[in-house]
């Protein structure tokens, strides 16, 4: 029997597969060939079978699938801390939309690179991004070697990116064509929300998503005011509105879904809609607590998202897991809900399901893409270890991630980014921030 050659082997004290049984292998490893996982198993056996392959051995390491951030706006890292402690609509209309009106492609590229540095350094290997100048976000992801689902945000009013709405469709089509066969970047169709998009816009993008076979990414039922506005305008809730337009289906990735009735949860489940849960953004903007326990019970695929850095204020999914596991316990006054295992699943396989990529990523299994991270467990806050999954959700931090591999390529080794010049990106972002502070765009 001719074994394919491995190009790289990672070994560690633990290997957590996140397969359906969340199999944990002590003294485990993963063998990688090209961009694909060849085998997982005992480290000794993998080394013996592939004696020529280079090995990254981490005796105190835990190897696991890279985390999947299913809802973010990467370039908003430039607005981190610009306006805090405000209600969603005031925050958007008085601060975020005005500053976004001054954005340029160059600024979005720098902001996206900054977030990507932070994401890789905190264990994320895939992200789903909705923003302006999406081509620049895609370029940043491609340069970094990061897996991403990216869409140009469309709404009724003119965009600082493409100008009048009609150009937005052309811009989206162009993006779809450019990335059709890219190994890491997929393009999505992104209406902003029901309160910023006419029924015609929502429907036209829905038709495009069906024709192109792409995801349809939208903010949905984020807070009570959105529901109230939608009812006033259309006599229906946001979920009922999309249903009436025939838009609810398995291609929909709905961000937030905080305000839902039991009937709406049942409808989302029936239509196969996927949900991006963004607990820290929902807490910070006082939007509420999404009924994730009920959504999971109804069989809805739920992934974790950080939302943009201006409403979180970071893109560290380890922090997001910690928050997600805890808020649902206090919301239900039941410490047994949203267990560590359930929460870790949402940040890995759940995220993969939300993006329709469960056969590609989310777990370490032969044949899947080699997206994996290694954490250093030899630290005060992670010692001793009874249940690794518990530590990952309740004690670990993004900064515990020391190595990251995306599509078989080592993008971070010993916390040094190998595909990006981190010092230069930080220096440029600091300069851009200085410009915003002085009321210029700095670009
Ligand atoms: Zn968002």
């Amino acid at each position: 029997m001719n074994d394919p050659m491995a190009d790289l082997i990672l070994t560690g004290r633990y290997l957590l597969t996140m397969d359906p049984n969340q199999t944990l292998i002590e003294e485990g490893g993963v063998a990688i060939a090209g961009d694909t996982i060849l085998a997982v198993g005992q480290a000794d056996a993998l080394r013996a079978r592939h004696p020529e392959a280079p090995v990254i051995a981490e005796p105190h390491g835990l190897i696991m699938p890279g985390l999947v951030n299913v809802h973010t706006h990467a370039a908003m890292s430039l607005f981190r801390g610009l306006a805090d402690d405000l209600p969603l609509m005031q925050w958007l209309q008085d601060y975020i939309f005005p500053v976004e009106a001054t954005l340029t492609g160059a600024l979005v590229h720098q902001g996206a690179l900054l977030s990507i540095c932070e994401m890789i350094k905190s264990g994320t290997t895939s992200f789903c991004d909705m923003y302006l100048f999406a081509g620049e976000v895609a370029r940043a992801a491609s340069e970094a070697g990061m897996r991403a689902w990216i869409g140009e945000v469309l709404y009724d009013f003119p965009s600082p990116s493409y100008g009048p709405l009609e150009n937005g469709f052309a811009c989206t089509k162009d993006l779809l064509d450019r990335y059709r066969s890219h190994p890491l970047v997929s393009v999505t169709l992104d209406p902003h929300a029901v309160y910023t998009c006419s029924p015609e816009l929502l429907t036209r993008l829905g038709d495009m998503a069906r024709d192109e076979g792409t995801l349809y990414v939208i903010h949905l039922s984020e807070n009570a005011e959105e529901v109230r506005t939608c009812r006033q305008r259309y006599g229906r809730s946001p979920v009922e509105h999309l249903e009436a337009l025939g838009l609810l289906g398995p291609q929909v990735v709905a961000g937030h879904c905080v305000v839902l009735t039991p009937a709406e949860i049942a409808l989302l489940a029936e239509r196969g809609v996927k949900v991006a849960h963004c607990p820290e953004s929902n807490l910070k903007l006082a939007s509420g607590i999404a009924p994730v326990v009920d959504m999971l019970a109804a069989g809805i695929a739920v992934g974790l998202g950080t939302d943009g850095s201006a409403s979180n204020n970071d893109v560290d999914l380890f922090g997001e897991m910690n928050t997600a596991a805890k808020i649902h316990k206090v919301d239900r006054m039941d410490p047994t809900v949203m267990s560590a295992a359930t929460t870790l699943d949402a940040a890995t396989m759940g995220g993969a399901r939300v993006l329709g990529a469960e056969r590609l990523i989310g777990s370490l299994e032969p044949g899947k893409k080699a997206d994996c991270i290694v954490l250093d467990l030899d630290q005060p806050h992670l010692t001793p270890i009874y249940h690794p999954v518990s530590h990952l959700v309740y004690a670990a931090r993004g900064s515990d991630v020391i190595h990251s591999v995306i599509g078989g390529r080592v993008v971070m080794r010993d916390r040094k980014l190998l595909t990006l010049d981190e010092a230069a990106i930080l220096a440029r972002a600091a300069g851009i921030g200085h410009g915003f502070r002085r009321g210029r765009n700095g670009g």
Side-chain angles (χ1 to χ4, degrees):
M1 193 173 74
N2 242 346
D3 249 4
M5 297 279 288
D7 301 318
L8 176 66
I9 293 177
L10 303 178
T11 66
R13 178 173 170 191
Y14 297 103
L15 179 127
L16 180 63
T17 60
M18 295 309 290
D19 66 8
N21 302 318
Q22 298 199 351
T23 304
L24 181 74
I25 303 170
E26 290 195 39
E27 305 302 330
V30 55
I32 297 165
D35 67 353
T36 303
I37 295 171
L38 202 55
V40 295
Q42 291 297 323
D44 287 349
L46 292 176
R47 272 196 300 259
R49 203 177 314 148
H50 304 280
E52 317 264 278
V55 178
I56 299 178
E58 215 52 69
H60 300 287
L62 181 144
I63 305 165
M64 63 176 286
L67 304 179
V68 182
N69 186 347
V70 292
H71 183 85
T72 190
H73 315 282
M76 291 186 84
S77 56
L78 297 177
F79 311 139
R80 187 191 337 254
L82 183 71
D84 298 316
D85 312 325
L86 295 165
L88 171 66
M89 293 303 165
Q90 193 188 348
W91 175 77
L92 265 180
Q93 277 154 17
D94 294 351
Y95 293 89
I96 297 303
F97 286 156
V99 77
E100 283 183 340
T102 71
L103 275 180
T104 63
L107 289 171
V108 168
H109 182 238
Q110 289 306 321
L113 285 174
L114 179 64
S115 257
I116 290 170
C117 285
E118 187 188 347
M119 283 193 265
I120 294 175
K121 294 195 86 172
S122 53
T124 294
T125 54
S126 293
F127 70 104
C128 180
D129 198 88
M130 167 200 279
Y131 210 53
L132 305 157
F133 299 97
E136 294 295 328
V137 182
R139 184 159 73 92
S142 175
E143 287 165 358
M146 182 115 182
R147 200 176 300 284
W149 281 256
I150 291 169
E152 179 76 31
V153 63
L154 272 73
Y155 32 55
D156 293 333
F157 38 96
S159 156
S161 159
Y162 52 76
L165 175 58
E166 202 48 42
N167 295 350
F169 295 102
C171 161
T172 298
K173 278 217 171 70
D174 175 57
L175 209 53
L176 279 163
D177 288 339
R178 254 190 294 157
Y179 285 93
R180 216 172 279 283
S181 56
H182 195 280
L184 293 172
V185 175
S186 306
V187 173
T188 60
L189 295 176
D190 296 18
H192 176 263
V194 299
Y195 55 94
T196 44
C197 298
S198 68
E200 294 72 30
L201 173 55
L202 293 170
T203 307
R204 190 162 161 193
L205 285 174
D207 292 344
M208 268 176 85
R210 264 188 293 264
D211 291 347
E212 295 280 354
T214 63
L215 299 176
Y216 183 88
V217 178
I218 186 168
H219 295 104
L220 187 66
S221 245
E222 181 169 354
N223 67 13
E225 194 178 342
E226 174 184 337
V227 176
R228 205 161 36 239
T229 308
C230 189
R231 281 196 187 287
Q232 277 166 5
R233 213 177 288 172
Y234 304 109
R236 301 188 286 254
S237 74
V239 170
E240 291 164 352
H241 186 51
L242 291 190
E243 170 70 359
L245 295 170
L247 290 167
L248 294 180
Q251 76 284 4
V252 176
V253 176
H256 302 299
C257 291
V258 171
V259 183
L260 295 179
T261 65
E264 287 174 329
I265 292 172
L267 180 63
L268 294 179
E270 195 184 320
R271 295 281 180 261
V273 171
K274 319 294 198 303
V275 171
H277 177 39
C278 307
E280 292 190 352
S281 173
N282 300 155
L283 290 177
K284 184 159 181 273
L285 293 165
S287 298
I289 298 176
V292 165
V293 175
D294 294 331
M295 287 194 260
L296 287 171
I300 295 174
V302 177
L304 282 189
T306 57
D307 211 356
S309 284
S311 62
N312 187 307
N313 288 357
D314 61 54
V315 289
D316 180 347
L317 274 176
F318 278 94
E320 207 72 34
M321 283 197 284
N322 193 315
T323 302
K326 289 171 183 166
I327 60 166
H328 298 290
K329 298 182 198 309
V330 77
D331 187 41
R332 308 286 287 239
M333 292 309 282
D334 177 359
T336 68
V337 301
M338 211 59 190
S339 67
T342 301
T343 306
L344 191 60
D345 184 76
T348 52
M349 272 312 296
R353 275 181 227 112
V354 166
L355 299 174
E358 63 272 28
R359 281 194 290 274
L360 283 184
I361 57 170
S363 63
L364 300 182
E365 298 177 80
K368 281 197 162 184
K369 296 298 175 194
D371 290 6
C372 41
I373 58 174
V374 183
L375 286 85
D376 176 14
L377 300 178
D378 190 23
Q379 305 196 62
H381 62 283
L382 301 175
T383 305
I385 299 170
Y386 303 105
H387 306 289
V389 170
S390 164
H391 274 9
L392 290 171
V393 173
Y394 294 119
R397 304 163 189 152
S399 54
D400 299 329
V401 178
I402 50 174
H403 311 312
S404 175
V405 176
I406 304 176
R409 181 181 185 191
V410 182
V411 295
M412 179 173 74
R413 177 103 191 238
D414 295 315
R415 292 200 60 71
K416 181 175 167 35
L417 299 178
L418 302 182
T419 53
L420 298 172
D421 183 344
E422 184 183 353
I425 291 166
L426 264 56
R428 280 196 291 268
I432 292 166
H434 189 63
F436 278 132
R437 225 182 351 259
R438 293 170 51 186
R440 297 185 288 106
N441 66 21

